[in-house]
Amino acid sequence: MAQREGRILCWLALACLVVPMFASYYFDDMFSTLSHLFEHPECLELGWNSANYGLYASGYSVLCIFGGLVICGMLLDKWGVRITGSIFVGLMVGGAALVTWAITSGLPSKVSLTAAYVGCMIFGLGSEIAGVAVTRSIAKWFRHGNMAFAMGLQLAIARLGTAFALIVSPRLVATKSPGEIYSLSETARPAFLGLMLMFTGIVLWAIFVAMDARFDRQAVRLCDCVDTAQEDKFSFRDVLKLLKNKEFIMIALLCVFFYSSIVSFKKFASAILIPRFEVPVEAASWMVSMLPFATVIFAPVFGIMVDKAGKGTRWMVLGAILAFVAHLLLAFAPAGRPLFGYLSMVFLGFGYSLVPAAMWPSVPKIVPDKVLGTAYSLIYWVQNLGLMFFKMSAGSILESSAMETGPVKVELMFVGVCIVSFLLSVGFAISSGKHPEYKLDAPSAR
């Protein structure tokens, strides 16, 4: 009976953790299927162009890259998920509120862009540390259970927030006839919906904090603040050891290149899909929404496979190959054939499910618990470095190229990124065979 109640509490805790991430993913992608609007700044009262939008989107990663993410990850290991997570969930909501104010303020476009950029920086740091706190919490609560399934389920529901944004945003900002102006209030409708989701997430996070405190009181071992034996306490020497871990370095680099090939693509999805396959906005939004919808279904399924059957590194290789094939189709498939657009999203969706379902549960296998928060933060830091670079690059390419050639040039960049991620996944699989003590390809469910 006690074990059954414990399992129920684990799933209730997971339910509280996924909603803030759902809201974060929605807010981050709320303009992804509206990115084509920024190609015509004269029709936006906001006045932003594609390069401005690319700069705004890159703001998500700035504070994360310049030390914030790594330092806060160490604080997470030192202070625990309850204190650190609560601070950064609050920052996530505060940053989103500043972005919403900026795009409705009526200020000159450069001023509103600056304010939104600052808001996006705050939102990004808050979201990333909140995400690390959520991942670390799942590793804690599901340490001896279905960790890969729990992480896959959390990832699936969070990405459902992306799918929600991709489908709902074009309907909140209705298509206008050529020459008509999109008002500030119309442009901000997706942001207002995002704030409502954020406030719901804060309430559920508070419930989780209470549950986690109770969990630690009842547990024999207290692992939230790493306040156990002296040898289990956090130290900077452990961070230096982490940076010498070749498997950790490979998984961090795989994360940055693989996610850049998908997340950066999503930011400009409509600006790529519409001219390449000559589809309307609604069709483009449905195409790209296949990515998060695929993960809703397949990320938990692949998580179960990793838990039960193992072979996680092999799934990473397959996912990297599928992403590579998808971007080849986006770059070289015949123009004006929507079927190839849908097919590329199918391949990309499968890859987007396979790699994370195997990658994230691998980290606790190669990293000690006392620096797990720092490890995830370092991975997120490298990831954000790549995301900022590739978002800005994609925006600049689209802004400086003709409408017919810009999408192809962007896709050639993503093809190169996929090649690197494939080589890294193969290297990680080879390393797994050389280091059986990590049990990277062993089943994890008991």
Side-chain angles (χ1 to χ4, degrees):
M1 181 64 73
Q3 288 183 346
R4 182 181 178 184
E5 289 179 356
R7 286 195 295 268
I8 292 173
L9 285 174
C10 285
W11 295 115
L12 286 175
L14 183 64
C16 293
L17 290 169
V18 298
V19 176
M21 292 296 95
F22 177 95
S24 171
Y25 275 57
Y26 167 84
F27 199 89
D28 188 35
D29 282 308
M30 63 184 177
F31 286 137
S32 291
T33 44
L34 298 172
S35 59
H36 60 284
L37 296 180
F38 299 104
E39 295 180 343
H40 305 283
E42 69 279 0
C43 296
L44 290 172
E45 188 178 351
L46 187 61
W48 296 2
N49 59 29
S50 291
N52 296 149
Y53 170 62
L55 178 64
Y56 157 76
S58 70
Y60 182 98
S61 304
V62 171
L63 290 179
C64 301
I65 291 169
F66 291 104
L69 192 52
V70 177
I71 293 171
C72 296
M74 294 179 185
L75 292 178
L76 186 62
D77 284 323
K78 194 71 176 177
W79 294 347
V81 296
R82 296 194 293 271
I83 295 175
T84 312
S86 297
I87 292 171
F88 287 96
V89 168
L91 284 177
M92 180 177 75
V93 178
L98 179 56
V99 170
T100 305
W101 173 82
I103 60 181
T104 57
S105 62
L107 294 170
S109 59
K110 289 186 178 180
V111 180
S112 67
L113 177 62
T114 301
Y117 185 73
V118 172
C120 194
M121 287 194 296
I122 297 170
F123 166 75
L125 182 62
S127 296
E128 292 296 295
I129 296 298
V132 174
V134 166
T135 305
R136 194 183 190 283
S137 298
I138 294 172
K140 170 184 173 180
W141 280 67
F142 291 87
R143 166 64 67 180
H144 302 295
N146 298 312
M147 187 193 301
F149 174 65
M151 287 187 176
L153 187 60
Q154 182 271 323
L155 190 63
I157 296 174
R159 288 180 181 169
L160 191 60
T162 292
F164 187 59
L166 298 177
I167 293 173
V168 170
S169 291
R171 287 154 181 78
L172 292 175
V173 185
T175 303
K176 291 180 176 289
S177 301
E180 288 189 279
I181 303 297
Y182 290 87
S183 68
L184 295 175
S185 60
E186 288 175 313
T187 308
R189 285 172 186 169
F192 282 118
L193 177 57
L195 279 181
M196 293 173 60
L197 294 172
M198 293 275 184
F199 287 125
T200 304
I202 281 183
V203 173
L204 289 173
W205 174 263
I207 294 173
F208 167 76
V209 167
M211 292 178 64
D212 193 64
R214 182 173 179 269
F215 177 93
D216 278 357
R217 287 195 299 268
Q218 292 182 344
V220 175
R221 53 184 177 81
L222 303 179
C223 58
D224 181 32
C225 292
V226 200
D227 190 18
T228 53
Q230 183 67 32
E231 63 269 17
D232 290 329
K233 290 185 177 180
F234 172 85
S235 72
F236 289 103
R237 284 177 294 183
D238 295 314
V239 178
L240 295 177
K241 291 180 182 178
L242 189 63
L243 296 175
K244 296 178 181 179
N245 186 323
K246 293 181 180 179
E247 286 69 33
F248 173 75
I249 297 299
M250 277 193 287
I251 217 170
L253 292 175
L254 173 60
C255 180
V256 64
F257 282 98
F258 180 78
Y259 271 83
S260 293
S261 73
I262 297 176
V263 176
S264 298
F265 162 76
K266 284 192 301 172
K267 292 297 180 186
F268 298 91
S270 63
I272 293 171
L273 294 171
I274 291 173
R276 278 289 289 125
F277 302 109
E278 299 176 8
V279 293
V281 175
E282 292 77 12
S285 68
W286 279 110
M287 278 185 189
V288 72
S289 68
M290 293 172 67
L291 297 178
F293 276 129
T295 61
V296 169
I297 299 171
F298 294 109
V301 172
F302 294 146
I304 293 174
M305 291 168 57
V306 172
D307 281 328
K308 302 295 185 184
K311 308 298 181 185
T313 61
R314 275 63 175 178
W315 298 122
M316 294 184 207
V317 173
L318 178 58
I321 291 172
L322 290 172
F324 174 64
V325 173
H327 282 291
L328 283 178
L329 286 173
L330 288 167
F332 299 112
R337 303 284 184 87
L339 175 62
F340 289 105
Y342 285 107
L343 187 60
S344 64
M345 293 301 102
V346 169
F347 287 134
L348 210 55
F350 273 106
Y352 201 25
S353 303
L354 276 168
V355 174
M359 181 173 62
W360 295 119
S362 297
V363 180
K365 295 181 180 181
I366 61 177
V367 173
D369 281 354
K370 57 185 174 180
V371 290
L372 190 56
T374 304
Y376 278 122
S377 297
L378 282 167
I379 292 173
Y380 280 36
W381 175 73
V382 178
Q383 179 190 43
N384 276 274
L385 185 65
L387 291 178
M388 183 179 76
F389 173 77
F390 289 114
K391 287 174 188 175
M392 293 181 68
S393 297
S396 297
I397 291 170
L398 289 171
E399 181 65 22
S400 61
S401 305
M403 186 174 294
E404 296 79 13
T405 60
V408 175
K409 291 180 180 178
V410 171
E411 281 304 317
L412 289 175
M413 177 184 72
F414 288 134
V415 167
V417 170
C418 287
I419 292 173
V420 177
S421 66
F422 167 71
L423 294 175
L424 287 166
S425 66
V426 171
F428 193 67
I430 294 172
S431 181
S432 173
K434 293 181 179 179
H435 296 278
E437 69 274 13
Y438 288 137
K439 299 180 180 180
L440 291 169
D441 287 312
S444 56
R446 298 181 181 179

